[in-house]
Amino acid sequence: LRVGSPLSLSGSNETTGASVFLNGSGSWGNYRMDVSAVFNVGDISLVARNSDNHTYVACAFAPNQVDLEVHLHDERRTLARIARPFVGDIKDARLSIEVRGNKVSCLENGTIVASGLILNPLLAKGGVGLVVWNPEVGSAHADIKGVSVVPLP
């Protein structure tokens, strides 16, 4: 990774995805993470309230749908699935996840496209991360051009 260059996030020849998490963000509560990315192959998930890489909420963005998911250990629950074409340029996608209190929202280009309530107290705080995934082994790939996280009241 070089300053001014995108972060290339790719699955290996043996995996269906890859992830990266911000160390030290585990005590964060209310915030919005904004990401500028290029969809190459597969989905891009923005992760929030991550406590142990198995307990988190995520907005999984694909060119044709958005899933709002809660992951608790090995169980994944979909809070919302919005089937719709991506609005904007998939080579310059503006994606966000916002967590405030017990509400989580997924945003495309600053517009909320999915939201839901977080009811489990294990998800009251936690850090941020990014995941790329595609069902075909070794094919998941996205270029992350920028990431910012801002605290919310």
Side-chain angles (χ1 to χ4, degrees):
L1 180 64
R2 292 178 305 167
V3 173
S5 298
L7 168 66
S8 183
L9 194 55
S10 301
S12 74
N13 291 335
E14 300 162 355
T15 65
T16 56
S19 61
V20 61
F21 293 91
L22 180 60
N23 193 19
S25 62
S27 64
W28 295 0
N30 297 325
Y31 54 86
R32 186 184 69 244
M33 178 171 64
D34 300 311
V35 174
S36 173
V38 176
F39 281 96
N40 290 316
V41 178
D43 302 346
I44 301 171
S45 293
L46 279 57
V47 172
R49 303 263 175 98
N50 175 56
S51 60
D52 64 5
N53 295 342
H54 300 286
T55 303
Y56 56 89
V57 295
C59 293
F61 295 94
N64 59 352
Q65 80 180 30
V66 178
D67 286 348
L68 174 54
E69 304 170 342
V70 172
H71 294 251
L72 289 169
H73 308 291
D74 292 328
E75 180 184 332
R76 180 180 69 184
R77 194 170 119 230
T78 301
L79 296 180
R81 173 168 284 159
I82 309 301
R84 62 191 285 283
F86 181 78
V87 177
D89 183 356
I90 63 170
K91 297 298 182 189
D92 188 24
R94 306 294 177 171
L95 312 172
S96 304
I97 187 169
E98 182 175 299
V99 287
R100 185 186 316 236
N102 67 346
K103 184 176 180 185
V104 58
S105 300
C106 306
L107 298 87
E108 286 179 357
N109 301 309
T111 301
I112 294 174
V113 293
S115 63
L117 296 178
I118 307 167
L119 302 177
N120 193 306
L122 292 174
L123 297 166
K125 290 188 176 188
V128 297
L130 297 165
V131 177
V132 294
W133 180 85
N134 197 57
E136 183 181 333
V137 172
S139 67
H141 177 222
D143 291 320
I144 309 304
K145 300 190 314 186
V147 177
S148 68
V149 182
V150 294
L152 299 174

